[in-house]
Amino acid sequence: DSGVTQTPKHLITATGQRVTLRCSPRSGDLSVYWYQQSLDQGLQFLIQYYNGEERAKGNILERFSAQQFPDLHSELNLSSLELGDSALYFCASSLQAQNTEAFFGQGTRLTVV
Amino acid sequence: AQKVTQAQTEISVVEKEDVTLDCVYETRDTTYYLFWYKQPPSGELVFLIRRNSFDEQNEISGRYSWNFQKSTSSFNFTITASQVVDSAVYFCALSDRAMDSNYQLIWGAGTKLIIKP
């Protein structure tokens, strides 16, 4: 058990809808990272938050947004969903702002139909 | 730009054979970190090892061993006496400061390892 908790584990929704994925980091970790794993793109970094502030941005679509709350949990919001957004979404956390050691949650499998 | 190459898309061996998964990386940074993760069929990403660029000592953990060679920019992973439970996709990743001075993980495409009984 990595100590990173993601909910829900599975999500099925229709195109055009909006969903929220939730992540609780390991106790004491200040950084949260979101990754997308799709069949055609592999594992891609989306965004990082550190102690409530956005720290780094990767290949995140404008339809997607995230935030980190004062209790350090994070949410990834995906809107106007398309079939191509179907993927496994991972959250990771680390103590520092620099991702030199990251532990991953079990992922949320999103299926857009 | 940084890059991680896992040239072996899929490897299939019979149980008890040794198997080596290759990882070649590119970076211009002198300080970087290399990782291996295992993704079993259940989907989670399991951390296996982290190596920093200043530590070229090879590491052994049970049946797992890692060979880090800066001269060839490689960080290969060997499983000795493989078992069916080792069947998974294995990812090599690099973390350096190339992206706006933040360390971020750059992933290889993964190697699917199939261990046949």
Side-chain angles (χ1 to χ4, degrees):
Chain A
D1 184 4
S2 67
V4 180
T5 304
Q6 285 187 251
T7 56
K9 286 194 177 146
H10 301 276
L11 201 48
I12 301 175
T13 189
T15 54
Q17 295 298 304
R18 172 190 167 97
V19 297
T20 297
L21 312 184
R22 183 188 168 101
C23 171
S24 294
R26 288 189 318 163
S27 177
D29 283 355
L30 299 176
S31 269
V32 170
Y33 310 81
W34 286 97
Y35 293 85
Q36 179 194 58
Q37 185 181 28
S38 59
L39 282 174
D40 55 344
Q41 298 282 338
L43 268 157
Q44 298 224 23
F45 166 66
L46 296 178
I47 197 164
Q48 177 198 359
Y49 278 81
Y50 175 73
N51 205 20
E53 301 288 327
E54 183 183 302
R55 176 81 178 187
K57 239 177 179 176
N59 300 319
I60 188 166
L61 299 172
E62 283 191 14
R63 299 184 285 108
F64 296 179
S65 65
Q67 53 183 327
Q68 186 179 29
F69 295 87
D71 66 353
L72 300 176
H73 91 271
S74 177
E75 293 181 355
L76 179 67
N77 300 296
L78 315 175
S79 61
S80 302
L81 284 166
E82 302 174 0
L83 296 177
D85 297 327
S86 296
L88 198 49
Y89 291 85
F90 285 103
C91 167
S93 74
S94 66
L95 175 62
Q96 299 173 341
Q98 297 178 335
N99 187 0
T100 58
E101 185 168 4
F103 293 89
F104 285 77
Q106 293 200 318
T108 293
R109 188 171 294 280
L110 173 66
T111 303
V112 182
V113 297
Chain B
Q2 333 92 299
K3 189 177 176 183
V4 176
T5 302
Q6 294 180 258
Q8 304 149 309
T9 305
E10 184 173 304
I11 300 174
S12 181
V13 300
V14 176
E15 202 173 19
K16 296 183 186 171
E17 285 186 20
D18 298 348
V19 58
T20 295
L21 309 182
D22 298 333
C23 174
V24 174
Y25 62 93
E26 292 177 29
T27 177
R28 284 178 291 187
D29 213 336
T30 55
T31 303
Y32 53 89
Y33 297 82
L34 296 163
F35 300 78
W36 276 96
Y37 286 88
K38 173 183 179 180
Q39 187 174 40
S42 50
E44 70 269 28
L45 281 166
V46 179
F47 169 80
L48 295 178
I49 191 171
R50 181 191 75 162
R51 239 334 168 232
N52 74 54
S53 52
F54 300 109
D55 183 1
E56 286 193 72
Q57 223 174 1
N58 291 327
E59 180 152 341
I60 298 174
S61 176
R63 296 183 297 106
Y64 295 171
S65 62
W66 290 269
N67 183 358
F68 177 30
Q69 292 198 333
K70 283 176 82 167
S71 60
T72 56
S73 297
S74 65
F75 187 43
N76 297 336
F77 172 33
T78 297
I79 301 175
T80 303
S82 60
Q83 298 176 2
V84 172
V85 292
D86 296 327
S87 297
V89 179
Y90 290 85
F91 291 95
C92 180
L94 163 72
S95 181
D96 67 10
R97 289 171 295 187
M99 284 177 65
D100 301 323
S101 299
N102 286 304
Y103 284 91
Q104 297 299 345
L105 283 173
I106 305 298
W107 298 85
T111 297
K112 184 175 182 179
L113 178 63
I114 300 168
I115 311 295
K116 294 184 278 193

